[in-house]
Amino acid sequence: MTHENFENALLLRAAGELPPGDAAGLAAHLAECRACRSFEAALTASSAAAKLTLEDPSPALVRRTRAVILSNRESPAPSLPWNWIPAGLGMALATLLLMVGRQHPRPPLEPAPEAALAQEQDELSQTEADLEELEDLLTEAEFDLSENVTGGDL
Amino acid sequence: MLGVKPDELARWLEEFKGPLHSFLRRMAGEAAADDLFQEVFVKALKAAGTYEDRQRPAAWLFTIARRLAVDHLRRERPQASLDQTSGEGASLAETLPGKDPRPEAELESSETRARIMAAIDVLPTDQREVFLMREHGGLSFKEISEALGVPLNTALGRMHYAVTKLRRTLENQ
């Protein structure tokens, strides 16, 4: 090993990184090398000096930084039943309305008197009203669902 | 395992606040240290998903802090040299306070600290960062060489120069 290698070995030893096999050789070299002993002393002194310059940041800065860190905590996920209830209600209502529609099929079209035409008009208006109500319910269910999924943050 | 959670990062803040802030003060100067300190943890949060638990937290945080300090010095380069962030050419007497009303022992201790800080501040940046990462952060030379992207022998060489120069500067004061 060269002299420079021994000085590097001293640095590694101070950092706890010296391979165990190199320890005996370093100790033997130190015993006879004044320059390396001097470097070792400088290393110890500079390390002690560095410790004297350690200083904590102000408590206010630590508080601010901690607040920034903790503001990034994930909000707890909503529980599953609440998540699915609005969507389930929407689907159930849609299915119900479809079934009602099938149980009352429209009569075949025939040339009809005015009274029959008026009744047909009424039924048509009722169907349109039902469809609007269905749309409103679905919109409401979608809104409830997005509120639950995002936790209302958006 | 990948990732670090905010609660864990908050614990590291407590554990490493002194070494990290002292490192940033000596690397980037007193004025920038507070902002950079907070920025370290903001960056750490953004990069939280990439943290591997085989890494030591100190090595990870100091790597982030060192990058921020170097970026800061690059931005400040027109105003201040990268190699001399404070006190170059000034005598020790100029860097130390004048009359001070504090008790003598406290004054002596604060003068000693000021002398040491001035000696560290006049180290070239590449030597100063290795010295501080080792002595403040407790990083191994392997961790330092990885953080800097240099061979192990280069990190050792810079530390050697730093120690030698510090001794010389402190002896001459």
Side-chain angles (χ1 to χ4, degrees), chain A:
Chain A
M1 257 209 275
T2 65
H3 182 75
E4 189 185 275
N5 290 149
F6 282 116
E7 286 182 335
N8 284 348
L10 278 170
L11 291 168
L12 289 170
R13 188 175 73 173
E17 293 175 89
L18 184 69
D22 292 351
L26 177 61
H29 176 78
L30 269 179
E32 58 192 34
C33 179
R34 196 171 163 185
C36 275
R37 284 200 301 276
S38 169
F39 179 71
E40 187 187 29
L43 183 57
T44 308
S46 64
S47 182
K51 302 278 182 292
L52 288 177
T53 67
L54 278 172
E55 207 176 330
D56 278 348
S58 71
L61 175 61
V62 176
R63 269 198 307 276
R64 279 202 308 274
T65 309
R66 188 186 301 111
V68 169
I69 294 171
L70 295 180
S71 70
N72 278 268
R73 275 174 170 161
E74 286 171 24
S75 51
S79 56
L80 205 57
W82 289 110
N83 233 356
W84 289 99
I85 283 173
L89 274 175
M91 294 288 282
L93 277 166
T95 311
L96 191 65
L97 283 168
L98 278 171
M99 285 170 69
V100 168
R102 280 187 183 179
Q103 280 172 0
H104 298 90
R106 290 168 65 178
L109 283 175
E110 290 174 6
E114 275 189 28
L117 269 173
Q119 191 186 346
E120 185 82 12
Q121 196 70 39
D122 284 343
E123 281 178 11
L124 202 59
S125 302
Q126 185 59 45
T127 308
E128 280 174 0
D130 287 345
L131 276 172
E132 274 178 19
E133 193 182 348
L134 176 61
E135 275 178 11
D136 287 347
L137 284 167
L138 281 172
T139 308
E140 203 174 315
E142 279 172 10
F143 176 77
D144 286 345
L145 178 61
S146 71
E147 278 275 289
N148 273 285
V149 168
T150 61
D153 286 345
L154 296 178

